[in-house]
Amino acid sequence: MDPLIVVFGGMVIAFVVVIALAALFDPRTGRAIVGGSLRSDEAEAEIEAVDIDQMIEARNERRRLAGRPDIGEELAREALGRSRES
């Protein structure tokens, strides 16, 4: 067996063992490192709002390409139709 492979393989194994032992005996968690909760309700709400806006815009774009009105325009037309029937 080539001595270079043995030396390099031994170094890789030693590195993996050291990393595993460090992770095993490190009492810190992600929360301890950051200093608090890793989740923010405000940030999640903002992300959710942006995601919903992007989904509606993508759906409207598909509707426009198909020659149909946007979701908001269709809902407004339906609401006006119902209010005139009443």
Side-chain angles (χ1 to χ4, degrees), residues 12-70:
V12 169
I13 291 172
F15 179 74
V16 169
V17 169
V18 168
I19 295 296
L21 289 175
L24 184 64
F25 292 111
D26 189 6
R28 296 181 301 167
T29 61
R31 182 176 298 166
I33 293 170
V34 173
S37 175
L38 297 177
R39 298 182 66 163
S40 166
D41 293 336
E42 295 83 17
E44 287 185 22
E46 179 66 27
I47 290 170
E48 187 75 20
V50 170
D51 284 349
I52 291 171
D53 290 343
Q54 289 175 347
M55 286 187 281
I56 290 172
E57 183 55 37
R59 187 162 185 173
N60 281 338
E61 185 177 337
R62 300 271 305 184
R63 290 176 70 93
R64 278 186 230 116
L65 290 174
R68 296 176 17 208
D70 288 356

Side-chain angles (χ1 to χ4, degrees), residues 1-13:
M1 187 180 275
D2 190 16
L4 183 62
I5 294 174
V6 173
V7 171
F8 183 70
M11 289 173 48
V12 169
I13 291 172

